[in-house]
Amino acid sequence: MNQPSPKIIERLFLYRRCLFMLKENEMNQIFSHELARLSGVSSAQLRRDLMVIGYSGSPTNGYNKLALLKALNNYLDANEKEGVALVGLGDVGRAILHYFQGRRPSLEISAVFDNDPQKIGRVFSGCKTYSVDQIKEIVQANNIHVGVIAVPEQAAQQVADELVDAGVRGILNYAPVRLDIPDGVYLENRDVLVSIEKIAYFARQV
Amino acid sequence: MNQPSPKIIERLFLYRRCLFMLKENEMNQIFSHELARLSGVSSAQLRRDLMVIGYSGSPTNGYNKLALLKALNNYLDANEKEGVALVGLGDVGRAILHYFQGRRPSLEISAVFDNDPQKIGRVFSGCKTYSVDQIKEIVQANNIHVGVIAVPEQAAQQVADELVDAGVRGILNYAPVRLDIPDGVYLENRDVLVSIEKIAYFARQV
DNA sequence: TCATGTGAAGACATTCACAGCA
DNA sequence: TGCTGTGAATGTCTTCACATGA
């Protein structure tokens, strides 16, 4: 099969999280409509999505939770631990760092960059802070392929260029600018301003 | 025309922001391919999207920036100023508050809620903090229809229920849980963990 | 009987391609 | 000529509906 779409991948991560939250329960089987309900999707969509990971349930008993979880882990996670570079330690950067660190065994923020001399050299949430001038050096030395941009809009494009130059292949951008990124680098934008405006727009419609 | 899709609305907000950034330039006309380039979409898509706001450009000169901006404002903004309720003043809540406040003339965070007695009653970024027990009272008194949830996952569903009960019609959820929300309330989820996992997944693909 | 897996249909989104106009 | 606005075509995503098997 071709590369599954970002939408499918996102839902697979979501199913995994929902399954994970249930792991404690005594029952170790779950039906597609149950997991679908927890995830907020239709059961047809859940079953269709699961086709891509090649795990099959039983028509009588549904899915085995642990086996499904294992299949999802196997499909979604890297073999070795992966590092993430976080650029910008303002409110947004700090929020991401505190929230993210330690949540996923196979993924960690392994370098943080800022241009505030007060912060450079210090350790936050177990993660050392470097100058933004060192992006290329540190990202390459640590073999990092994922970057999160949480700097003000004026600095975002330059940071993106440096990350890409250093070999980063996926970028999550919280700065409210459209980044110019070469093909082959996966980019998603998370603009709080646009998000809230959009919610407000739809809240207004009858 | 029917209600345009969330995707189209989001891009309209994006076009507006790109136009706004250009406002200073001396030229007051812009071609679809120029604005499309800045926004990172195809010119065909830009033109198609603009159909919904009913603004027409000229084949010779393209679009008039100010007229287009005005048409977008008219289409996207409410007539009166709208209030937003922010629940949770941890790292995420603070980041949103600092970033958002004062950016849009027609939209402001007009009430903040938290359960930390140290914060209740204080004013942050011009915005008074209330106890989460007061959600219904304050949201209704201020005629708020948009809520942003930035509380830990355990508290999120209850906060959502209270917001909906108070009359909120659009929710932006930063807590890493799937919320159960009645039809008619517009919901979007922004889960940092899933976002980064997804980026890492695609960064890994050749 | 009831849930899975999946071909086929349907809904939705994007792109193509061209008429019409200055 | 070169751009806009848009019908038609293409592509993608979601749902339907049913054969299959326990």
CSV table of all heavy atoms in Angstrom, one decimal, chain A residues 85-131:
chain,number,residue,atom,x,y,z
A,85,ALA,N,14.2,18.6,18.4
A,85,ALA,CA,14.8,19.9,18.8
A,85,ALA,C,13.7,20.9,19.0
A,85,ALA,O,12.8,21.0,18.1
A,85,ALA,CB,15.7,20.3,17.6
A,86,LEU,N,13.7,21.6,20.1
A,86,LEU,CA,12.7,22.6,20.4
A,86,LEU,C,13.4,24.0,20.3
A,86,LEU,O,14.4,24.2,21.0
A,86,LEU,CB,12.1,22.4,21.7
A,86,LEU,CG,11.3,23.5,22.3
A,86,LEU,CD1,10.0,23.7,21.5
A,86,LEU,CD2,10.9,23.2,23.8
A,87,VAL,N,13.0,24.8,19.4
A,87,VAL,CA,13.6,26.2,19.3
A,87,VAL,C,12.6,27.2,19.9
A,87,VAL,O,11.5,27.4,19.4
A,87,VAL,CB,13.9,26.5,17.9
A,87,VAL,CG1,14.8,27.8,17.8
A,87,VAL,CG2,14.7,25.3,17.2
A,88,GLY,N,13.1,27.9,20.9
A,88,GLY,CA,12.3,29.0,21.5
A,88,GLY,C,11.8,28.5,22.9
A,88,GLY,O,11.1,27.6,23.0
A,89,LEU,N,12.2,29.2,23.9
A,89,LEU,CA,11.8,28.9,25.3
A,89,LEU,C,10.9,29.9,25.9
A,89,LEU,O,11.1,30.2,27.1
A,89,LEU,CB,13.0,28.6,26.1
A,89,LEU,CG,13.3,27.1,26.4
A,89,LEU,CD1,14.4,27.0,27.5
A,89,LEU,CD2,12.1,26.4,26.8
A,90,GLY,N,10.1,30.6,25.1
A,90,GLY,CA,9.1,31.5,25.7
A,90,GLY,C,8.0,30.7,26.3
A,90,GLY,O,8.2,29.5,26.6
A,91,ASP,N,6.8,31.3,26.5
A,91,ASP,CA,5.7,30.6,27.1
A,91,ASP,C,5.4,29.3,26.3
A,91,ASP,O,5.1,28.3,26.9
A,91,ASP,CB,4.4,31.5,27.0
A,91,ASP,CG,4.6,32.6,28.0
A,91,ASP,OD1,4.8,32.4,29.2
A,91,ASP,OD2,4.4,33.8,27.6
A,92,VAL,N,5.3,29.4,25.0
A,92,VAL,CA,4.9,28.3,24.2
A,92,VAL,C,5.9,27.2,24.3
A,92,VAL,O,5.6,26.0,24.6
A,92,VAL,CB,4.7,28.7,22.7
A,92,VAL,CG1,4.3,27.4,21.9
A,92,VAL,CG2,3.6,29.7,22.6
A,93,GLY,N,7.2,27.5,24.2
A,93,GLY,CA,8.2,26.5,24.3
A,93,GLY,C,8.2,25.8,25.6
A,93,GLY,O,8.3,24.6,25.7
A,94,ARG,N,8.1,26.6,26.7
A,94,ARG,CA,8.1,26.0,28.0
A,94,ARG,C,6.9,25.1,28.2
A,94,ARG,O,7.0,24.0,28.7
A,94,ARG,CB,8.1,27.1,29.1
A,94,ARG,CG,9.4,27.4,29.6
A,94,ARG,CD,9.3,28.2,30.9
A,94,ARG,NE,8.4,29.3,30.8
A,94,ARG,CZ,8.7,30.5,30.4
A,94,ARG,NH1,10.0,30.8,30.2
A,94,ARG,NH2,7.8,31.5,30.3
A,95,ALA,N,5.7,25.5,27.7
A,95,ALA,CA,4.5,24.7,27.8
A,95,ALA,C,4.8,23.3,27.1
A,95,ALA,O,4.4,22.3,27.6
A,95,ALA,CB,3.3,25.4,27.2
A,96,ILE,N,5.3,23.4,25.9
A,96,ILE,CA,5.5,22.2,25.2
A,96,ILE,C,6.5,21.3,25.9
A,96,ILE,O,6.3,20.1,26.0
A,96,ILE,CB,6.1,22.5,23.7
A,96,ILE,CG1,5.0,23.2,22.9
A,96,ILE,CG2,6.5,21.2,23.0
A,96,ILE,CD1,5.4,23.8,21.7
A,97,LEU,N,7.6,21.9,26.3
A,97,LEU,CA,8.7,21.1,27.0
A,97,LEU,C,8.1,20.4,28.3
A,97,LEU,O,8.3,19.2,28.4
A,97,LEU,CB,9.8,22.0,27.4
A,97,LEU,CG,11.1,21.4,28.0
A,97,LEU,CD1,11.7,20.4,27.1
A,97,LEU,CD2,12.1,22.4,28.4
A,98,HIS,N,7.4,21.1,29.1
A,98,HIS,CA,6.9,20.5,30.3
A,98,HIS,C,5.9,19.4,30.0
A,98,HIS,O,5.9,18.4,30.7
A,98,HIS,CB,6.2,21.6,31.2
A,98,HIS,CG,7.2,22.6,31.8
A,98,HIS,ND1,6.8,23.7,32.4
A,98,HIS,CD2,8.5,22.5,31.9
A,98,HIS,CE1,7.9,24.4,32.8
A,98,HIS,NE2,8.9,23.7,32.5
A,99,TYR,N,5.1,19.7,29.1
A,99,TYR,CA,4.0,18.8,28.8
A,99,TYR,C,4.5,17.5,28.1
A,99,TYR,O,4.1,16.4,28.5
A,99,TYR,CB,2.9,19.4,27.9
A,99,TYR,CG,1.9,18.3,27.5
A,99,TYR,CD1,1.1,17.7,28.4
A,99,TYR,CD2,1.9,17.9,26.1
A,99,TYR,CE1,0.3,16.7,28.0
A,99,TYR,CE2,1.0,16.9,25.8
A,99,TYR,CZ,0.2,16.3,26.7
A,99,TYR,OH,-0.6,15.3,26.3
A,100,PHE,N,5.5,17.7,27.2
A,100,PHE,CA,5.9,16.6,26.4
A,100,PHE,C,6.9,15.6,27.1
A,100,PHE,O,6.8,14.4,26.9
A,100,PHE,CB,6.5,17.1,25.1
A,100,PHE,CG,6.8,16.0,24.1
A,100,PHE,CD1,5.8,15.5,23.3
A,100,PHE,CD2,8.1,15.5,24.0
A,100,PHE,CE1,6.1,14.5,22.4
A,100,PHE,CE2,8.4,14.5,23.1
A,100,PHE,CZ,7.3,14.0,22.3
A,101,GLN,N,7.8,16.2,27.8
A,101,GLN,CA,8.9,15.4,28.3
A,101,GLN,C,8.5,14.2,29.2
A,101,GLN,O,7.7,14.4,30.1
A,101,GLN,CB,9.8,16.4,29.1
A,101,GLN,CG,11.3,16.0,29.0
A,101,GLN,CD,11.9,16.0,27.6
A,101,GLN,OE1,11.2,15.5,26.6
A,101,GLN,NE2,13.1,16.5,27.4
A,102,GLY,N,8.9,13.1,28.8
A,102,GLY,CA,8.7,11.9,29.6
A,102,GLY,C,7.4,11.2,29.2
A,102,GLY,O,7.0,10.1,29.8
A,103,ARG,N,6.6,11.7,28.3
A,103,ARG,CA,5.3,11.1,28.0
A,103,ARG,C,5.5,9.9,27.0
A,103,ARG,O,4.7,9.0,27.1
A,103,ARG,CB,4.4,12.2,27.3
A,103,ARG,CG,3.9,13.2,28.3
A,103,ARG,CD,2.5,13.0,28.7
A,103,ARG,NE,2.0,14.0,29.5
A,103,ARG,CZ,0.7,14.2,29.8
A,103,ARG,NH1,-0.2,13.4,29.4
A,103,ARG,NH2,0.4,15.2,30.6
A,104,ARG,N,6.4,10.0,26.1
A,104,ARG,CA,6.5,8.9,25.2
A,104,ARG,C,7.9,8.3,25.3
A,104,ARG,O,8.9,9.0,25.3
A,104,ARG,CB,6.5,9.4,23.7
A,104,ARG,CG,5.1,9.9,23.3
A,104,ARG,CD,4.0,8.8,23.4
A,104,ARG,NE,4.4,7.6,22.8
A,104,ARG,CZ,3.8,6.4,23.1
A,104,ARG,NH1,2.8,6.4,23.9
A,104,ARG,NH2,4.2,5.3,22.5
A,105,PRO,N,7.9,7.0,25.5
A,105,PRO,CA,9.2,6.3,25.7
A,105,PRO,C,10.2,6.5,24.5
A,105,PRO,O,11.4,6.6,24.7
A,105,PRO,CB,8.9,4.9,25.9
A,105,PRO,CG,7.5,4.7,25.5
A,105,PRO,CD,6.8,6.0,25.6
A,106,SER,N,9.6,6.5,23.3
A,106,SER,CA,10.5,6.5,22.1
A,106,SER,C,10.8,7.8,21.5
A,106,SER,O,11.5,7.9,20.5
A,106,SER,CB,9.8,5.6,21.0
A,106,SER,OG,8.6,6.2,20.6
A,107,LEU,N,10.4,8.9,22.2
A,107,LEU,CA,10.5,10.2,21.6
A,107,LEU,C,10.8,11.2,22.8
A,107,LEU,O,10.2,11.2,23.8
A,107,LEU,CB,9.2,10.6,21.0
A,107,LEU,CG,9.1,11.5,19.8
A,107,LEU,CD1,10.0,11.0,18.7
A,107,LEU,CD2,7.6,11.5,19.3
A,108,GLU,N,11.9,12.0,22.6
A,108,GLU,CA,12.2,13.0,23.7
A,108,GLU,C,12.7,14.2,23.1
A,108,GLU,O,13.4,14.2,22.1
A,108,GLU,CB,13.1,12.4,24.7
A,108,GLU,CG,14.5,12.3,24.2
A,108,GLU,CD,15.6,12.0,25.3
A,108,GLU,OE1,15.2,12.0,26.5
A,108,GLU,OE2,16.7,11.8,25.0
A,109,ILE,N,12.5,15.4,23.7
A,109,ILE,CA,13.1,16.6,23.4
A,109,ILE,C,14.5,16.6,23.9
A,109,ILE,O,14.7,16.5,25.1
A,109,ILE,CB,12.3,17.8,23.9
A,109,ILE,CG1,10.9,17.8,23.3
A,109,ILE,CG2,13.0,19.1,23.6
A,109,ILE,CD1,10.0,18.9,23.8
A,110,SER,N,15.5,16.5,23.0
A,110,SER,CA,16.8,16.3,23.4
A,110,SER,C,17.7,17.5,23.3
A,110,SER,O,18.8,17.5,23.7
A,110,SER,CB,17.4,15.1,22.7
A,110,SER,OG,17.2,15.2,21.3
A,111,ALA,N,17.2,18.6,22.7
A,111,ALA,CA,17.9,19.8,22.7
A,111,ALA,C,17.0,21.0,22.6
A,111,ALA,O,16.0,20.9,21.9
A,111,ALA,CB,18.9,19.9,21.5
A,112,VAL,N,17.3,22.1,23.4
A,112,VAL,CA,16.4,23.2,23.3
A,112,VAL,C,17.3,24.4,22.9
A,112,VAL,O,18.5,24.5,23.3
A,112,VAL,CB,15.8,23.5,24.7
A,112,VAL,CG1,15.0,24.8,24.7
A,112,VAL,CG2,15.0,22.3,25.2
A,113,PHE,N,16.8,25.3,22.1
A,113,PHE,CA,17.6,26.5,21.7
A,113,PHE,C,16.8,27.8,22.0
A,113,PHE,O,15.6,27.8,21.8
A,113,PHE,CB,17.8,26.4,20.2
A,113,PHE,CG,18.5,25.2,19.7
A,113,PHE,CD1,17.8,24.0,19.4
A,113,PHE,CD2,19.9,25.1,19.7
A,113,PHE,CE1,18.5,22.8,19.1
A,113,PHE,CE2,20.6,24.0,19.3
A,113,PHE,CZ,19.9,22.8,19.0
A,114,ASP,N,17.6,28.8,22.4
A,114,ASP,CA,17.0,30.1,22.7
A,114,ASP,C,18.1,31.1,22.4
A,114,ASP,O,19.3,30.8,22.3
A,114,ASP,CB,16.4,30.2,24.1
A,114,ASP,CG,15.4,31.2,24.2
A,114,ASP,OD1,15.7,32.4,24.1
A,114,ASP,OD2,14.2,30.9,24.4
A,115,ASN,N,17.7,32.4,22.4
A,115,ASN,CA,18.8,33.4,22.2
A,115,ASN,C,18.9,34.3,23.4
A,115,ASN,O,19.7,35.2,23.4
A,115,ASN,CB,18.5,34.3,20.9
A,115,ASN,CG,17.2,35.0,21.1
A,115,ASN,OD1,16.5,35.0,22.1
A,115,ASN,ND2,16.8,35.7,20.0
A,116,ASP,N,18.3,33.9,24.5
A,116,ASP,CA,18.4,34.6,25.8
A,116,ASP,C,19.6,34.1,26.6
A,116,ASP,O,19.6,32.9,27.0
A,116,ASP,CB,17.1,34.4,26.6
A,116,ASP,CG,17.2,35.1,27.9
A,116,ASP,OD1,18.3,35.6,28.3
A,116,ASP,OD2,16.1,35.2,28.6
A,117,PRO,N,20.6,34.9,26.7
A,117,PRO,CA,21.8,34.5,27.4
A,117,PRO,C,21.6,33.9,28.9
A,117,PRO,O,22.3,33.1,29.4
A,117,PRO,CB,22.7,35.8,27.5
A,117,PRO,CG,22.1,36.7,26.5
A,117,PRO,CD,20.7,36.3,26.4
A,118,GLN,N,20.5,34.4,29.4
A,118,GLN,CA,20.1,33.9,30.8
A,118,GLN,C,19.7,32.5,30.7
A,118,GLN,O,19.8,31.8,31.7
A,118,GLN,CB,18.8,34.7,31.2
A,118,GLN,CG,19.0,36.2,31.4
A,118,GLN,CD,19.5,36.6,32.7
A,118,GLN,OE1,19.1,36.1,33.7
A,118,GLN,NE2,20.6,37.4,32.8
A,119,LYS,N,19.2,32.0,29.6
A,119,LYS,CA,18.8,30.6,29.5
A,119,LYS,C,19.8,29.7,29.0
A,119,LYS,O,19.8,28.5,29.3
A,119,LYS,CB,17.5,30.6,28.6
A,119,LYS,CG,16.3,31.2,29.3
A,119,LYS,CD,15.1,31.3,28.3
A,119,LYS,CE,14.0,32.1,28.9
A,119,LYS,NZ,13.1,32.7,27.9
A,120,ILE,N,20.7,30.2,28.1
A,120,ILE,CA,21.6,29.4,27.4
A,120,ILE,C,22.6,28.7,28.5
A,120,ILE,O,23.1,29.4,29.3
A,120,ILE,CB,22.5,30.2,26.4
A,120,ILE,CG1,21.5,30.6,25.3
A,120,ILE,CG2,23.6,29.3,25.8
A,120,ILE,CD1,22.1,31.6,24.3
A,121,GLY,N,22.7,27.4,28.3
A,121,GLY,CA,23.6,26.7,29.2
A,121,GLY,C,22.8,26.1,30.4
A,121,GLY,O,23.3,25.1,31.0
A,122,ARG,N,21.7,26.6,30.7
A,122,ARG,CA,20.9,26.0,31.8
A,122,ARG,C,20.1,24.7,31.3
A,122,ARG,O,20.0,24.5,30.1
A,122,ARG,CB,19.9,27.0,32.3
A,122,ARG,CG,20.6,28.2,33.1
A,122,ARG,CD,19.6,29.1,33.7
A,122,ARG,NE,18.7,28.5,34.6
A,122,ARG,CZ,17.6,29.1,35.1
A,122,ARG,NH1,17.3,30.4,34.7
A,122,ARG,NH2,16.8,28.5,35.9
A,123,VAL,N,19.7,24.0,32.3
A,123,VAL,CA,19.0,22.8,32.0
A,123,VAL,C,17.5,22.9,32.4
A,123,VAL,O,17.2,23.3,33.5
A,123,VAL,CB,19.6,21.6,32.7
A,123,VAL,CG1,18.8,20.3,32.5
A,123,VAL,CG2,21.0,21.3,32.2
A,124,PHE,N,16.6,22.7,31.5
A,124,PHE,CA,15.1,22.7,31.8
A,124,PHE,C,14.5,21.4,31.5
A,124,PHE,O,14.7,20.8,30.4
A,124,PHE,CB,14.4,23.8,30.9
A,124,PHE,CG,15.0,25.2,31.2
A,124,PHE,CD1,16.0,25.7,30.4
A,124,PHE,CD2,14.4,25.9,32.2
A,124,PHE,CE1,16.4,27.0,30.6
A,124,PHE,CE2,14.9,27.2,32.5
A,124,PHE,CZ,15.9,27.8,31.7
A,125,SER,N,13.8,20.8,32.5
A,125,SER,CA,13.2,19.5,32.3
A,125,SER,C,14.2,18.5,31.7
A,125,SER,O,13.9,17.8,30.8
A,125,SER,CB,11.9,19.6,31.3
A,125,SER,OG,11.0,20.4,31.9
A,126,GLY,N,15.3,18.5,32.3
A,126,GLY,CA,16.4,17.6,31.9
A,126,GLY,C,17.0,17.8,30.5
A,126,GLY,O,17.6,16.9,29.9
A,127,CYS,N,16.8,19.0,30.0
A,127,CYS,CA,17.2,19.2,28.7
A,127,CYS,C,18.1,20.5,28.6
A,127,CYS,O,17.7,21.6,29.0
A,127,CYS,CB,15.9,19.4,27.9
A,127,CYS,SG,16.1,19.4,26.1
A,128,LYS,N,19.2,20.4,28.0
A,128,LYS,CA,20.2,21.5,28.0
A,128,LYS,C,19.8,22.5,26.9
A,128,LYS,O,19.3,22.2,25.8
A,128,LYS,CB,21.6,21.0,27.7
A,128,LYS,CG,22.6,22.1,28.0
A,128,LYS,CD,24.0,21.5,28.1
A,128,LYS,CE,25.0,22.7,28.1
A,128,LYS,NZ,26.4,22.2,27.9
A,129,THR,N,20.0,23.8,27.3
A,129,THR,CA,19.6,24.9,26.4
A,129,THR,C,20.9,25.4,25.7
A,129,THR,O,21.9,25.7,26.3
A,129,THR,CB,19.0,26.1,27.2
A,129,THR,OG1,18.0,25.6,28.0
A,129,THR,CG2,18.5,27.1,26.2
A,130,TYR,N,20.8,25.5,24.4
A,130,TYR,CA,21.9,26.0,23.6
A,130,TYR,C,21.5,27.4,22.9
A,130,TYR,O,20.3,27.7,22.8
A,130,TYR,CB,22.3,25.0,22.5
A,130,TYR,CG,22.7,23.7,23.0
A,130,TYR,CD1,21.7,22.7,23.2
A,130,TYR,CD2,24.0,23.4,23.3
A,130,TYR,CE1,22.1,21.5,23.7
A,130,TYR,CE2,24.4,22.2,23.8
A,130,TYR,CZ,23.4,21.2,24.0
A,130,TYR,OH,23.8,20.0,24.5
A,131,SER,N,22.5,28.0,22.4
A,131,SER,CA,22.2,29.2,21.6
A,131,SER,C,21.7,28.8,20.2
A,131,SER,O,22.0,27.8,19.7
A,131,SER,CB,23.5,30.0,21.4
A,131,SER,OG,23.4,30.9,20.2
